[in-house]
Amino acid sequence: MQLVVGRIGKPHGVRGEVTVEVRTDEPEARFAPGTVLRTAPGATPPPTADEPGVPFRIPAELTIEEARFHQGRVLIAFDGILDRNTAEALRGTLLVVDSADVAPPDDPEEFHDHQLVGLAVVTPAGERLGEVARIDHAPSSDLLVLRRPEGRTALIPFVRAIVPEVDLAGGRVIVDPPAGLLDL
């Protein structure tokens, strides 16, 4: 499974450096010089100003030459991207890593989103409520987006009082929802 760790934004300066919207909890590790990141498939950038009518082909992989943090943003120089026009052609490209290359968290109470998506959601009594469709990261707590059997979705705060156990080996999340939570 491909995990998005960033999205390339606008160019910064004239030497090919770009801003990157960070979508990872570990930007220092993910965007370290020498790191090779894959680009999301299907990205189709506009032609560059240098070659009208000839579309720029986004490489399947980009190697980070230099990365620095500036005013709350990550600025990255990629190997081979040497000017502003080429950097502009990369705008909107998603940077991804394979989930198999991501080490599991050290804390047994912490999980990566991709570990939870697809798990069965059951009550403590074993009643199946649905499955985890995705995780929404809200300001107050993360939310499990539950895909119910009848096709609806429900939001479950990912807090110990409501989600007492995550059993990765068993492929399930045990949820003890308060009355009415799944009816919203």
Side-chain angles (χ1 to χ4, degrees):
M1 167 187 275
Q2 299 294 312
L3 303 176
V4 177
V5 295
R7 186 177 69 78
I8 297 177
K10 64 183 181 177
H12 181 81
V14 296
R15 294 193 177 110
E17 204 170 37
V18 294
T19 61
V20 172
E21 174 189 323
V22 176
R23 295 189 184 176
T24 177
D25 289 341
E26 302 169 326
E28 294 84 6
R30 296 278 169 245
F31 303 120
T35 301
V36 177
L37 296 171
R38 292 191 224 16
T39 57
T44 53
T48 65
D50 291 340
E51 304 174 67
V54 178
F56 170 76
R57 298 266 182 227
I58 295 176
E61 295 180 336
L62 291 169
T63 302
I64 296 174
E65 192 172 276
E66 183 182 334
R68 61 191 171 99
F69 293 84
H70 176 69
Q71 297 180 348
R73 293 186 284 183
V74 178
L75 302 178
I76 295 181
F78 291 107
D79 186 38
I81 307 300
L82 305 174
D83 61 56
R84 186 176 183 87
N85 291 337
T86 308
E88 177 64 41
L90 291 173
R91 187 189 287 226
T93 300
L94 297 176
L95 302 170
V96 298
V97 296
D98 192 315
S99 62
D101 297 337
V102 178
D106 294 332
D107 183 356
E109 297 293 315
E110 186 178 329
F111 305 95
H112 292 298
D113 292 2
H114 72 276
Q115 293 176 295
L116 301 172
V117 173
L119 294 183
V121 177
V122 298
T123 65
E127 175 191 354
R128 185 174 169 87
L129 300 173
E131 76 174 33
V132 178
R134 70 176 189 274
I135 312 301
D136 284 352
H137 300 281
S140 60
S141 73
D142 292 338
L143 299 168
L144 298 176
V145 179
L146 173 66
R147 184 179 308 115
R148 302 280 288 153
E150 66 274 6
R152 294 184 310 115
T153 59
L155 299 177
I156 300 173
F158 194 25
V159 295
R160 181 168 286 289
I162 299 173
V163 185
E165 183 181 346
V166 174
D167 179 8
L168 292 178
R172 65 189 183 142
V173 176
I174 298 174
V175 173
D176 191 9
L181 179 67
L182 301 179
D183 299 327
L184 298 174

